[in-house]
Amino acid sequence: MTAFSLADHTKSDPLLLAEDERHFAAMADSLEHAIADLAARLEDVRRAPGGRGQQALDRDQEVHRLTARLRTLRRYSLDLCLGRMVPADGSPTVYVGRLGLADRAGTRLLVDWRSPAAEPFFAATQAHPRGLASRRRYRWTGGRITDYWDEVLDPGAVAGPLALDEDSAFIASLGSSRSPRMRDVLGTIAADQDAIIRAGSRGALVVDGGPGTGKTVVALHRAAYLLHADPRLGSRRGGVLFVGPHRAYLAYVADVLPSLGEEGVQTCTLRDLLPEGAAAVPEVDPEIARLKATAAMVAAVEPAVALYEEPPTRGVLVETPWVDLWVAPEDWAEAFAAVDPGTPHNEARDEVWEALATLLVDRCDADVPPEQLRRALTQDEALVDAFGGAWPRLDPAELVGDLWSVPAYLRRCAPWLAPDEVRRLQRADPQAWTTSDLPMLDAARQRLGDPDTSRRRRREEAELAAQREEMAHVVDHLVATDDSEMMVMSMLRREDLGAALVADAQVGDPDLLAGPFAHVVVDEAQELTDAEWQMLLLRCPSRSVTVVGDRAQARHGFAESWRERLQRVGFDEVREATLSVNYRTPEEVMVEAEPVIRAVLPDANVPTSIRSGGIPVVRGSYDDLDRILAAHTEGTACVVGDPSLLDGPRVRSLPPELVKGLEFDLVVLVDPESWGAVDRYVAMTRATRQLVLLERRGSVAL
């Protein structure tokens, strides 16, 4: 069966398709064998003993790797292939795919799009052909090639026939109807986008681009590329975190990374980084939002915690059945100083107590078993009370809530605040969380750790000790009753057999968003405050970050440069790349949108549209909304600014602040003149075909 289903009969010439047909037949055979082999290997790995520690981790990672590859092969089949390159030196044609693929003889059928061998497929241009004579890209629909187009890159090296309709598939894909999920664009990544995707991971790379330039495409494909190409970013070293602006955006791009064979990237919004984020409401007071948006305010968490880590200045007498011990202020200071740097406050309690107990046990001259003396220390009310007051368990929400309800505490931790600012930050319900509180809460969680960590660890250690004691009895019984001829059980050391019978304890479910991550990708990064940047820096100590955004789309203004912003929040090395071609928005829409943003940001990076949709921007009355939507019979639509309208099968209703990062065939703005310029500009440029502007007052014939 042919892989082609072409409407253009001129492209169906067997001379144009013969090489591809042979290649796809070889691919089909290889895929059948590869899927069978992967399924068998996966079954073998799943049946193998789980092991413990690193062995168990390696097994789980192999299961995940095999499962992801098997899912991708089954999902795409022949449409794993993106296109082909014909080298100018006459060497064999190279086919590029989502994954690498070889037949059983080892012949390479597809090179992985992320490999260096595939780079010319994306990077070659007529000015710089990168050793290629020509390039062919496929457009797949329902598992069949419905269009393709050839590009001549080195006219003097072209040997065979080509279909020289260079823009057919590319332009058609730009103007095709959208769906509720981001469409697959891997096969049409442009050279300027590919250069950014393949850039090194060191430091902060800023990708600045206006609407429709493919910033989100670059961000997602860069995450997949770096995981494949940079060994420093493997899962054992932290992996990649992808941060989007809101949940609607994450739902829109949810299919992209899996389609690239990457399912290990953690995706989230800033709200998702901590439990309070889901219920947090916007901060209505702009002055309070401004005060909480600084990195200095986040840094106030440190002195807020340090207040609870000051050693007592008074001694305490500890009475035991054998001897009385005096804990002097210098003893407290020595124990407090024993904490390893970076240990969260609540987890450090065990370290402080252990240091203090060791100091007292070593000082004791009485003939007392050390363990009995340690137990006596834990039962001394005076010592326990003094320790609890000096280094108490702290709850992150209570700590931050105290800053908003105890003025003296806030003044001590943030001495730069003016008296009226301190008063303004106080509130009746200290834990009525707003989005502006989230960076403070996050810093407190990271600094304090889980308040129940010590109790949970002791409980798990006790349970594990009980299991080991029980297994010791089992081992003794096995050895004592071993009547085998070679005394196999007796040949095993008791501790080895016991360790094999008791699995390592598991400390709860890991927080997958806690980090640290080896690399972080942030889309719509122009919206992040200095305080919010601290949330990401806490999770990325390497400072390896891809920053994707557009200063012109910043809802709260962005007058400085990217370099100034990022260096202020904590980055040393900042590189910048610019995208200036608008692949999404028709020229007719950009003509209307550009003056809107130029009025407030004259140096905005307004991209140049490469296509005209032929449909003018329409202005009219809100009364015409139903008729406009009824006439929209295919593709997606979004009505922005009408909260009374409910979502339908193909129509979304969103406020201006939640359309960023999305795209729709038809965009209808309701009363846009009542919005800020940035919101209008962002909403207008979501349209891929038609833009309609409606006002509630008056009626203009459409």
Side-chain angles (χ1 to χ4, degrees):
M1 177 179 174
T2 179
F4 292 89
S5 178
L6 301 169
D8 185 345
H9 296 296
T10 63
K11 291 188 174 184
S12 300
D13 188 330
L15 291 176
L16 294 170
L17 306 181
E19 184 177 10
D20 286 351
E21 293 281 27
R22 289 192 297 270
H23 193 83
F24 289 137
M27 274 187 61
D29 182 65
S30 181
L31 280 168
E32 182 179 351
H33 291 299
I35 289 172
D37 290 345
L38 277 172
R41 287 168 56 193
L42 180 59
E43 186 64 22
D44 289 344
V45 173
R46 283 174 170 164
R47 287 178 176 176
R52 296 180 295 120
Q54 188 61 49
Q55 183 183 6
L57 178 62
D58 290 343
R59 175 185 176 276
D60 289 345
Q61 289 181 340
E62 181 66 1
V63 168
H64 178 79
R65 185 188 70 82
L66 293 172
T67 301
R69 184 172 177 84
L70 186 59
R71 185 182 296 116
T72 302
L73 292 182
R74 284 172 169 165
R75 175 180 181 179
Y76 284 101
S77 189
L78 292 181
D79 46 350
L80 282 171
C81 186
L82 305 172
R84 73 182 198 188
M85 306 179 280
V86 178
D89 62 5
S91 54
T93 300
V94 178
Y95 286 80
V96 178
R98 297 175 184 279
L99 300 174
L101 182 68
D103 63 19
R104 291 197 163 188
T107 302
R108 180 62 56 183
L109 299 177
L110 291 177
V111 296
D112 191 299
W113 71 274
R114 295 163 292 191
S115 68
E119 185 174 354
F121 179 78
F122 301 98
T125 63
Q126 290 182 349
H128 302 284
R130 303 292 294 270
L132 301 185
S134 66
R135 168 176 54 204
R136 174 174 291 183
R137 302 182 194 246
Y138 305 117
R139 184 182 182 198
W140 294 88
T141 306
R144 306 284 296 280
I145 296 174
T146 54
D147 199 1
Y148 68 90
W149 76 106
D150 290 326
E151 299 164 272
V152 174
L153 300 167
D154 184 350
V158 173
L162 297 175
L164 299 177
D165 182 10
E166 297 185 2
D167 289 336
S168 63
F170 181 56
I171 297 299
S173 68
L174 295 178
S176 60
S177 297
R178 265 46 178 185
S179 69
R181 295 291 180 94
M182 175 177 274
R183 60 192 174 87
D184 178 21
V185 296
L186 177 56
T188 56
I189 286 175
D192 59 341
Q193 297 170 335
D194 183 68
I196 297 171
I197 289 169
R198 296 176 188 270
S201 63
R202 184 179 180 85
L205 173 64
V206 177
V207 183
D208 183 86
T213 55
K215 299 186 300 299
T216 296
V217 168
V218 167
L220 291 162
H221 289 74
R222 179 164 166 77
Y225 171 79
L226 289 176
L227 273 174
H228 176 85
D230 192 333
R232 296 177 302 168
L233 305 186
S235 57
R236 291 187 191 178
R237 297 176 181 268
V240 174
L241 175 68
F242 188 98
V243 182
H246 46 73
R247 299 303 303 176
Y249 167 95
L250 293 183
Y252 179 60
V253 304
D255 286 343
V256 177
L257 285 167
S259 77
L260 300 174
E262 293 296 347
E263 299 182 353
V265 177
Q266 297 298 323
T267 61
C268 70
T269 68
L270 287 174
R271 285 175 175 265
D272 299 328
L273 294 177
L274 62 168
E276 293 85 356
V281 299
E283 179 59 67
V284 296
D285 188 326
E287 178 60 16
I288 291 178
R290 183 189 67 81
L291 292 172
K292 293 181 179 179
T294 65
M297 186 61 78
V298 177
V301 167
E302 180 57 38
V305 176
L307 183 65
Y308 293 97
E309 297 180 348
E310 295 180 358
T313 56
R314 298 177 60 182
V316 61
L317 180 65
V318 179
E319 298 178 350
T320 76
W322 309 278
V323 63
D324 292 345
L325 299 170
W326 176 252
V327 184
E330 53 268 26
D331 297 328
W332 285 112
E334 182 178 344
F336 278 38
V339 175
D340 291 333
T343 305
H345 170 90
N346 291 317
E347 297 173 23
R349 294 185 86 249
D350 286 349
E351 293 183 19
V352 176
W353 178 266
E354 180 60 26
L356 185 63
T358 299
L359 187 152
L360 295 177
V361 168
D362 291 346
R363 181 184 299 166
C364 180
D365 294 330
D367 186 15
V368 184
E371 290 308 313
Q372 291 187 29
L373 182 56
R374 287 177 181 273
R375 275 196 296 271
L377 294 178
T378 64
Q379 296 168 0
D380 186 87
E381 291 187 9
L383 180 62
V384 171
D385 288 347
F387 176 72
W391 199 292
R393 288 188 182 87
L394 296 176
D395 179 83
E398 292 178 0
L399 182 104
V400 176
D402 287 347
L403 291 171
W404 310 147
S405 57
V406 183
Y409 188 37
L410 180 57
R411 280 195 299 270
R412 173 168 178 163
C413 299
W416 65 87
L417 292 174
D420 64 316
E421 292 174 331
V422 171
R423 286 193 298 271
R424 191 163 193 162
L425 288 168
Q426 303 300 295
R427 62 191 184 205
D429 183 353
Q431 296 189 29
W433 305 120
T434 70
T435 52
S436 296
D437 294 320
L438 298 184
M440 296 280 288
L441 278 167
D442 188 58
R445 285 187 174 279
Q446 297 273 346
R447 178 64 176 83
L448 294 177
D450 188 339
D452 293 324
T453 293
S454 296
R455 283 193 290 261
R456 187 167 54 248
R457 182 187 295 122
R458 284 194 292 271
R459 183 175 63 252
E460 289 169 347
E461 288 175 350
E463 291 173 354
L464 185 59
Q467 291 179 30
R468 285 176 173 156
E469 183 176 356
E470 182 179 349
M471 286 302 104
H473 294 310
V474 172
V475 172
D476 288 341
H477 176 71
L478 290 173
V479 173
T481 59
D482 182 15
D483 58 358
S484 63
E485 194 170 311
M486 297 188 65
M487 300 294 288
V488 174
M489 291 297 175
S490 300
M491 293 171 64
L492 296 172
R493 291 186 304 167
R494 282 176 167 78
E495 58 267 31
D496 288 344
L497 186 55
L501 293 172
V502 181
D504 289 343
Q506 299 297 316
V507 186
D509 294 329
D511 180 356
L512 297 178
L513 299 179
F517 291 93
H519 190 83
V520 174
V521 180
V522 192
D523 202 358
E524 304 295 351
Q526 72 277 354
E527 301 298 349
L528 269 62
T529 65
D530 290 5
E532 289 170 335
W533 272 113
Q534 305 312 305
M535 300 172 74
L536 301 182
L537 291 176
L538 280 172
R539 289 164 172 79
C540 190
S542 68
R543 301 297 192 265
S544 174
V545 178
T546 300
V547 180
V548 183
D550 179 12
R551 292 170 55 245
Q553 296 185 54
R555 299 188 74 237
H556 302 291
F558 200 128
E560 61 196 327
S561 69
W562 278 110
R563 184 175 299 275
E564 290 169 336
R565 169 73 60 90
L566 293 177
Q567 288 181 340
R568 185 179 70 242
V569 301
F571 290 96
D572 297 324
E573 183 178 341
V574 179
R575 296 170 290 147
E576 297 184 59
T578 301
L579 294 171
S580 57
V581 177
N582 189 334
Y583 299 97
R584 176 183 66 214
T585 316
E587 183 181 10
E588 293 84 356
V589 174
M590 288 307 299
V591 167
E592 294 282 342
E594 182 171 354
V596 173
I597 197 62
R598 292 281 188 210
V600 295
L601 191 66
D603 67 339
N605 177 14
V606 179
T608 302
S609 294
I610 66 169
R611 67 187 181 93
S612 170
I615 304 175
V617 174
V618 175
R619 287 177 168 79
S621 165
Y622 177 74
D623 296 336
D624 299 308
L625 177 59
D626 290 342
R627 180 166 61 84
I628 292 169
L629 295 178
H632 179 69
T633 57
E634 62 178 41
T636 60
C638 184
V639 178
V640 187
D642 183 7
S644 66
L645 183 69
L646 300 178
D647 285 350
R650 292 187 298 106
V651 180
R652 296 290 305 276
S653 175
L654 293 170
E657 62 270 19
L658 291 185
V659 298
K660 193 165 292 180
L662 306 179
E663 57 182 26
F664 305 90
D665 297 290
L666 168 67
V667 172
V668 180
L669 309 189
V670 178
D671 292 332
E673 294 299 325
S674 64
W675 312 343
V678 171
D679 281 346
R680 267 187 291 155
Y681 177 66
V682 171
M684 293 171 78
T685 55
R686 301 307 95 194
T688 65
R689 286 190 187 176
Q690 184 178 17
L691 174 66
V692 177
L693 310 177
L694 301 182
E695 297 292 339
R696 293 180 189 272
R697 295 180 180 177
S699 179
V700 180
L702 296 179

